[in-house]
Amino acid sequence: MARTPLPAALEVRELLEGLLGRDAEAVVGTGAVDPHQHPGAMVGAYVDDTLKLRSIIVVDQPLTAYLGAAIALMPVATAKAAIESELLTPVLYDNSAEILNVAASLFNHDGAPHVRLYEAYAPREVLPADIDKWVLAFVARLDMEVTVAGYGTGRISVLVI
């Protein structure tokens, strides 16, 4: 079966800009996001129709808070409070999980397996072993720093298995 393609940085940035309705700047090659490093990261696991793990998106806690606030037009203070407390509110988690859900489109191309979001794991949530072993693996990956206009900066890693 064909491999799931790794999206280009431009595709990731354009997806975020389209969802948020605001500019996003991206810098590539910033190092992998480690969900085990405090204060953690949100992890989206994507599977194909046979439930085989195909790709993973890891978003550090600050970017998760900024994305969750920006998509709902919440004040930046809401995101900053979540970052300071190191805890996402349920609304910020849900909003960010919806962004991860839509991000499945980054992997769905003609001739490639259809993938969907299987699960979104909150920062510091224990990851299943079959997902955890891949988050820092040497696989096709895109590591970026993203700045959401009017909100702030964080990091994201996109991996294909």
Side-chain angles (χ1 to χ4, degrees):
M1 179 174 258
R3 289 186 47 85
T4 298
L6 181 67
L10 179 64
E11 292 174 287
V12 175
R13 185 178 62 80
E14 287 179 343
L15 176 89
L16 293 175
E17 286 181 338
L19 287 172
L20 304 176
R22 59 180 56 239
D23 289 340
E25 290 184 24
V27 177
V28 297
T30 56
V33 178
D34 183 352
H36 307 106
Q37 212 171 33
H38 191 74
M42 190 161 187
V43 177
Y46 299 84
V47 297
D48 65 16
D49 293 334
T50 65
L51 298 182
K52 179 181 179 194
L53 184 65
R54 290 289 183 164
S55 51
I56 297 171
I57 296 180
V58 186
V59 185
D60 73 4
Q61 199 265 357
L63 186 57
T64 300
Y66 292 132
L67 293 175
I71 196 166
L73 302 175
M74 297 168 83
V76 69
T78 303
K80 289 190 184 294
I83 293 166
E84 282 181 28
S85 70
E86 299 178 346
L87 292 171
L88 290 180
T89 64
V91 171
L92 290 177
Y93 168 83
D94 289 344
N95 292 350
S96 299
E98 187 53 34
I99 290 171
L100 288 177
N101 186 37
V102 174
S105 65
L106 293 168
F107 306 109
N108 290 320
H109 293 276
D110 288 341
H114 177 267
V115 301
R116 63 179 172 81
L117 179 66
Y118 176 74
E119 185 68 60
Y121 300 93
R124 294 191 301 282
E125 185 174 347
V126 176
L127 297 174
D130 61 333
I131 295 169
D132 190 48
K133 71 179 183 180
W134 292 106
V135 293
L136 295 173
F138 290 102
V139 295
R141 63 184 305 131
L142 172 65
D143 300 310
M144 315 170 40
E145 184 177 84
V146 176
T147 301
V148 178
Y151 283 85
T153 302
R155 294 185 2 225
I156 183 171
S157 292
V158 181
L159 302 74
V160 293
I161 302 358

